[in-house]
Amino acid sequence: MSTWHKPMTAACSIGATLWALAIAAAQAPGALPGDEAMTCAQIAAELGPYMQRMTPGVTDLAATGQEVIHRGNKRVAGETPAAVGLTAAALGSMADPTGLSGKAVGQAEAAHQAEVWQRAEAEDKPLNDKYRAQAGAVAAQGQQLQSDARLKRLMELVEKKHCDAG
């Protein structure tokens, strides 16, 4: 056997392996010819319709979330005078050596907090229900997209090509 036979055999073996890997990659679920040559801009363009399908639900969910936050902030602002008054009463009750006034203030604070909580639950129930429904719809849509073989392939390319490293 000549000395060139072993290197030639190794080269052919490596070439066959690379060819097999290229075929396997092209046959991967969701793969299309030319995927490996795609630029990040091309991948982003192909991802666009997927993102457009998600955008309305995510936008609505974000708007409802902002409304929940706004209501909470408004409620805190409305309850600030009561909180200040109860804090002043608690500080004043420290002068009572018997501790009875401190106990009464503590009970008043607990009752007030319970009342605020119950009122908030009742007032915000429709909005919270809407938020939960929207979040569920977005999650379901995301689950559905996770089963899309082409989307998975595009996301693999994004990661492989470091397209998200911005």
Side-chain angles (χ1 to χ4, degrees), residues 68-156:
V68 168
I69 291 169
H70 175 72
R71 274 192 179 189
N73 290 341
K74 187 175 176 183
R75 184 169 291 111
V76 167
E79 290 301 320
T80 298
V84 168
L86 287 167
T87 300
L91 288 172
S93 72
M94 292 177 159
D96 178 7
T98 66
L100 294 175
S101 61
K103 184 176 179 181
V105 170
Q107 289 172 342
E109 284 177 319
H112 180 74
Q113 287 175 354
E115 183 271 326
V116 168
W117 176 260
Q118 289 171 353
R119 186 170 22 98
E121 283 290 306
E123 290 173 357
D124 293 348
K125 184 177 182 345
L127 185 61
N128 289 333
D129 289 348
K130 177 181 175 182
Y131 183 84
R132 279 190 284 281
Q134 288 172 332
V138 167
Q141 191 175 21
Q143 288 290 329
Q144 181 184 14
L145 285 175
Q146 284 182 350
S147 66
D148 185 296
R150 183 62 183 158
L151 179 59
K152 283 182 185 178
R153 176 67 177 139
L154 291 170
M155 295 310 293
E156 289 170 3

Side-chain angles (χ1 to χ4, degrees), residues 37-49 154 157-158 161-164:
M38 288 178 77
T39 65
C40 290
Q42 291 169 322
I43 295 168
E46 194 168 335
L47 284 170
L154 291 170
L157 290 170
V158 164
K161 294 177 180 265
H162 305 289
C163 295
D164 56 345

Side-chain angles (χ1 to χ4, degrees), residues 17-29 31:
T17 302
L18 292 174
W19 180 73
L21 288 174
I23 289 174
Q27 293 174 346

